[in-house]
Amino acid sequence: MEALSGAAASSSLLPTFPAYQPPSRVALRARPCGPLRAAGGGGGGKDESAKPNGTPVIKSKSDASQNGALGPVTTEKSRTALSANTTPDSSGSRAGLFRTPISGGVQSATFAHGLPPPALAVRNLMEQARFAHLCTVMSGMHHRRAGYPFGSLVDFANDSMGHPIFSLSPLAIHTRNLLSDPRCTLVVQVPGWSGLSNARVTIFGDVYPLPAEEQEWAHKQYVAKHQQWASQQWGNFYYYRMQSISDIYFIGGFGTVAWVDVKQYEVMQPDKIAVDGGEQSLKELNAIFSKPLREFMSAEGEVDDAALISVDSKGIDIRVRQGAQFNIQRLAFDVPYKVETLEEAKRALHKIIKTSNK
């Protein structure tokens, strides 16, 4: 801590503040966590029971139209298309998954619907998103609301372990807050976020300024992710890093909720397709497949718009609009390999569309 404070004080770019001292009047106690349960959002009732050992028992839902979900298949053509687009690990579920409440918790949802495991899903999300909400503790030196959480929108990049890196101005309130108290949370949402059925993650950690010899390295990470620009070019900015991550809370949509093990997250390598291309890949896929996917999904009910918002090695997430209602659907790739490149994703999607047109 003293070394970091010294590094900050030695730089003319950074103001100095008293070191953070944990409050002695509050004794923080860890609250024991119970077994994971499905989120009850969206008006879905509980439909799970428990075995004697506490293991949840999955019950299938007969009504797929909860929370504005698309209704059941009504045409022979759509039956053929959906049955053809299931993967070996999808347990026979339909390829397009509307993320209604799922009984059995995150592990059952991940297995039943061919989703990436939570640690990988978070790594992919951190690679695909460019902006996030940084929540810091308000410093008493700068505002009368000392101790209150302060939220702000920031851009970020990642290091090889998934720790976020920030380019911050010494004039910003959140920068001053971090220099006084490094504790913070970073709330990251999937690009194209439109509602509570979308994936998001809250990362708890401590943020410190990087030493002068690592500033150029951090700048390269920023340029690699943001490509066209990095905010250090705008003026007197300095790079910071979340040096330690204390916890990770992931919500993959309704019913997909988990506390992710930090060590597992740090050693997990993100999907190659999630790292390469990013928004540009999604833009290209949407230009080719947005209309065909809208027609494909209209077999279950009229769809006004369909847009790809996320892609990983197992499938894509699609934001579907029906009138003023937005839903998220999962479409699994029907290929015997992990999709790693944009061209492989195109071939997998062409296969789905071609099968649905038969």
Side-chain angles (χ1 to χ4, degrees):
M1 181 72 183
E2 294 177 355
L4 287 167
S5 300
S10 63
S11 173
S12 60
L13 297 175
L14 299 172
T16 58
F17 298 96
Y20 163 68
Q21 297 293 332
S24 58
R25 62 185 178 85
V26 179
L28 299 178
R29 294 178 179 268
R31 182 175 297 177
C33 297
L36 289 172
R37 296 185 181 275
K46 293 181 180 179
D47 66 340
E48 61 182 3
S49 58
K51 294 180 181 178
N53 62 1
T55 304
V57 178
I58 300 177
K59 293 182 179 180
S60 60
K61 291 183 178 292
S62 58
D63 181 8
S65 61
Q66 295 184 48
N67 306 309
L70 300 181
V73 179
T74 57
T75 67
E76 190 63 36
K77 179 178 178 180
S78 59
R79 286 193 189 97
T80 302
L82 292 175
S83 63
N85 292 306
T86 55
T87 59
D89 58 347
S90 64
S91 300
S93 63
R94 49 161 286 184
L97 162 68
F98 173 64
R99 292 181 175 170
T100 49
I102 302 169
S103 63
V106 64
Q107 292 183 347
S108 297
T110 300
F111 172 79
H113 302 288
L115 303 175
L120 177 57
V122 175
R123 284 303 307 267
N124 289 342
L125 176 55
M126 291 293 288
E127 294 295 335
Q128 292 175 331
R130 295 196 302 154
F131 301 94
H133 291 91
L134 179 66
C135 303
T136 56
V137 180
M138 185 64 87
S139 168
M141 296 184 65
H142 307 288
H143 198 279
R144 64 181 182 272
R145 302 299 181 191
Y148 275 72
F150 178 78
S152 51
L153 185 64
V154 297
D155 53 2
F156 72 97
N158 307 291
D159 66 9
S160 61
M161 297 175 64
H163 287 232
I165 300 168
F166 308 97
S167 179
L168 304 178
S169 166
L171 301 178
I173 291 179
H174 51 248
T175 306
R176 300 175 181 181
N177 292 342
L178 289 172
L179 291 171
S180 177
D181 182 344
R183 297 177 303 167
C184 66
T185 60
L186 187 71
V187 182
V188 185
Q189 301 168 171
V190 66
W193 196 88
S194 62
L196 296 179
S197 59
N198 293 90
R200 64 268 195 194
V201 64
T202 302
I203 298 183
F204 299 74
D206 300 270
V207 173
Y208 297 98
L210 285 168
E213 62 269 20
E214 295 184 20
Q215 291 293 308
E216 182 61 29
W217 166 82
H219 181 69
K220 291 179 180 178
Q221 309 308 307
Y222 249 75
V223 172
K225 181 165 187 174
H226 296 277
Q227 297 180 1
Q228 292 130 338
W229 52 269
S231 52
Q232 191 191 38
Q233 298 171 352
W234 294 355
N236 194 21
F237 282 73
Y238 202 80
Y239 286 104
Y240 290 65
R241 177 180 180 265
M242 186 175 283
Q243 302 286 16
S244 61
I245 295 178
S246 54
D247 233 327
I248 301 173
Y249 184 63
F250 173 62
I251 302 178
F254 289 130
T256 311
V257 181
W259 289 95
V260 176
D261 182 79
V262 174
K263 291 184 178 178
Q264 185 181 7
Y265 167 81
E266 291 176 332
V267 300
M268 184 72 67
Q269 292 300 309
D271 285 333
K272 187 175 184 297
I273 192 169
V275 178
D276 298 341
E279 290 185 5
Q280 185 59 38
S281 294
L282 289 174
K283 187 175 182 180
E284 189 169 340
L285 290 174
N286 272 311
I288 300 172
F289 295 104
S290 180
K291 183 177 179 181
L293 286 173
R294 177 176 60 81
E295 295 172 351
F296 168 70
M297 293 185 171
S298 291
E300 296 186 338
E302 188 63 29
V303 170
D304 298 305
D305 184 57
L308 285 78
I309 61 172
S310 179
V311 59
D312 55 63
S313 62
K314 291 189 172 184
I316 58 174
D317 287 347
I318 308 170
R319 185 183 62 215
V320 177
R321 181 175 66 85
Q322 292 178 291
Q325 299 296 319
F326 288 89
N327 299 324
I328 302 301
Q329 294 230 4
R330 175 74 178 179
L331 193 61
F333 293 137
D334 184 24
V335 292
Y337 53 84
K338 290 177 62 175
V339 171
E340 294 187 342
T341 67
L342 180 60
E343 292 306 314
E344 289 178 351
K346 289 179 182 178
R347 288 197 295 269
L349 287 171
H350 275 302
K351 182 180 178 180
I352 293 174
I353 301 301
K354 184 178 179 181
T355 302
S356 69
N357 291 331
K358 289 183 179 179

